Short mmCIF file of all heavy atoms in Angstrom, two decimals:
data_model
loop_
_atom_site.label_atom_id
_atom_site.label_comp_id
_atom_site.label_asym_id
_atom_site.label_seq_id
_atom_site.Cartn_x
_atom_site.Cartn_y
_atom_site.Cartn_z
N PHE K 99 125.93 93.52 71.50
CA PHE K 99 124.86 92.53 71.36
C PHE K 99 125.02 91.78 70.05
O PHE K 99 125.42 92.37 69.04
CB PHE K 99 123.50 93.25 71.35
CG PHE K 99 123.34 94.23 72.48
CD1 PHE K 99 123.75 95.56 72.33
CD2 PHE K 99 122.80 93.84 73.69
CE1 PHE K 99 123.61 96.47 73.37
CE2 PHE K 99 122.66 94.76 74.74
CZ PHE K 99 123.07 96.07 74.58
N ASN K 100 124.69 90.50 70.08
CA ASN K 100 124.52 89.75 68.85
C ASN K 100 123.02 89.62 68.61
O ASN K 100 122.28 89.28 69.53
CB ASN K 100 125.15 88.36 68.95
CG ASN K 100 126.67 88.44 68.99
OD1 ASN K 100 127.25 89.44 68.59
ND2 ASN K 100 127.31 87.38 69.47
N VAL K 101 122.61 89.86 67.36
CA VAL K 101 121.18 89.89 67.08
C VAL K 101 120.86 89.04 65.86
O VAL K 101 121.57 89.08 64.87
CB VAL K 101 120.72 91.35 66.82
CG1 VAL K 101 119.27 91.40 66.36
CG2 VAL K 101 120.89 92.19 68.08
N SER K 102 119.78 88.28 65.99
CA SER K 102 119.34 87.48 64.86
C SER K 102 117.84 87.76 64.66
O SER K 102 117.06 87.68 65.62
CB SER K 102 119.59 86.01 65.19
OG SER K 102 118.87 85.19 64.34
N ILE K 103 117.47 88.12 63.44
CA ILE K 103 116.06 88.45 63.18
C ILE K 103 115.43 87.41 62.26
O ILE K 103 116.00 87.03 61.25
CB ILE K 103 115.93 89.88 62.60
CG1 ILE K 103 116.34 90.89 63.68
CG2 ILE K 103 114.51 90.17 62.12
CD1 ILE K 103 116.30 92.32 63.27
N ASP K 104 114.24 86.98 62.67
CA ASP K 104 113.44 86.02 61.91
C ASP K 104 114.18 84.71 61.60
O ASP K 104 113.99 84.12 60.52
CB ASP K 104 112.90 86.67 60.62
CG ASP K 104 111.90 87.77 60.93
OD1 ASP K 104 111.32 87.73 62.04
OD2 ASP K 104 111.70 88.65 60.10
N SER K 105 115.01 84.27 62.52
CA SER K 105 115.66 82.98 62.32
C SER K 105 114.69 81.87 62.75
O SER K 105 113.73 82.12 63.47
CB SER K 105 116.93 82.88 63.14
OG SER K 105 116.60 82.63 64.49
N CYS K 106 114.97 80.65 62.30
CA CYS K 106 114.05 79.55 62.62
C CYS K 106 114.44 78.86 63.93
O CYS K 106 113.77 77.92 64.36
CB CYS K 106 114.07 78.52 61.50
SG CYS K 106 113.66 79.25 59.94
N GLU K 107 115.54 79.31 64.52
CA GLU K 107 116.02 78.62 65.72
C GLU K 107 114.99 78.65 66.85
O GLU K 107 114.39 79.70 67.11
CB GLU K 107 117.30 79.29 66.21
CG GLU K 107 118.51 78.45 65.91
CD GLU K 107 119.81 79.17 66.23
OE1 GLU K 107 119.87 80.40 66.05
OE2 GLU K 107 120.74 78.50 66.64
N ASN K 108 114.81 77.51 67.50
CA ASN K 108 113.91 77.49 68.66
C ASN K 108 114.71 77.87 69.89
O ASN K 108 115.72 77.24 70.21
CB ASN K 108 113.32 76.08 68.82
CG ASN K 108 112.26 76.05 69.90
OD1 ASN K 108 112.37 76.73 70.93
ND2 ASN K 108 111.23 75.27 69.67
N GLU K 109 114.25 78.88 70.60
CA GLU K 109 115.02 79.44 71.71
C GLU K 109 115.24 78.44 72.85
O GLU K 109 116.16 78.61 73.65
CB GLU K 109 114.36 80.72 72.25
CG GLU K 109 112.99 80.57 72.85
CD GLU K 109 111.88 80.49 71.81
OE1 GLU K 109 112.16 80.65 70.61
OE2 GLU K 109 110.73 80.24 72.22
N SER K 110 114.41 77.40 72.92
CA SER K 110 114.53 76.46 74.03
C SER K 110 115.90 75.74 74.01
O SER K 110 116.38 75.29 75.04
CB SER K 110 113.39 75.43 74.02
OG SER K 110 113.51 74.65 72.87
N ILE K 111 116.52 75.69 72.82
CA ILE K 111 117.82 75.00 72.75
C ILE K 111 118.92 75.75 73.50
O ILE K 111 119.96 75.20 73.81
CB ILE K 111 118.29 74.75 71.28
CG1 ILE K 111 118.44 76.09 70.54
CG2 ILE K 111 117.35 73.81 70.54
CD1 ILE K 111 119.23 75.97 69.26
N PHE K 112 118.68 77.05 73.80
CA PHE K 112 119.71 77.83 74.50
C PHE K 112 119.68 77.61 76.01
O PHE K 112 120.60 77.99 76.72
CB PHE K 112 119.53 79.33 74.25
CG PHE K 112 119.47 79.72 72.80
CD1 PHE K 112 118.45 80.53 72.32
CD2 PHE K 112 120.45 79.29 71.91
CE1 PHE K 112 118.39 80.90 70.99
CE2 PHE K 112 120.40 79.66 70.57
CZ PHE K 112 119.36 80.47 70.11
N SER K 113 118.58 77.04 76.52
CA SER K 113 118.31 77.15 77.96
C SER K 113 119.22 76.28 78.85
O SER K 113 119.17 76.40 80.06
CB SER K 113 116.85 76.84 78.25
OG SER K 113 116.57 75.52 77.89
N ASN K 114 120.04 75.42 78.23
CA ASN K 114 121.02 74.70 79.06
C ASN K 114 122.27 75.54 79.28
O ASN K 114 122.98 75.36 80.26
CB ASN K 114 121.43 73.38 78.39
CG ASN K 114 120.42 72.30 78.72
OD1 ASN K 114 119.87 72.29 79.82
ND2 ASN K 114 120.16 71.43 77.77
N ASP K 115 122.53 76.45 78.33
CA ASP K 115 123.78 77.22 78.37
C ASP K 115 123.58 78.70 78.66
O ASP K 115 124.55 79.46 78.70
CB ASP K 115 124.50 77.10 77.01
CG ASP K 115 124.67 75.65 76.61
OD1 ASP K 115 125.20 74.90 77.42
OD2 ASP K 115 124.23 75.28 75.50
#
Side-chain angles (χ1 to χ4, degrees):
Chain K
F99 310 89
N100 290 341
V101 173
S102 164
I103 293 179
D104 293 338
S105 77
C106 304
E107 254 173 326
N108 187 323
E109 63 280 355
S110 65
I111 61 165
F112 306 130
S113 63
N114 276 326
D115 307 308

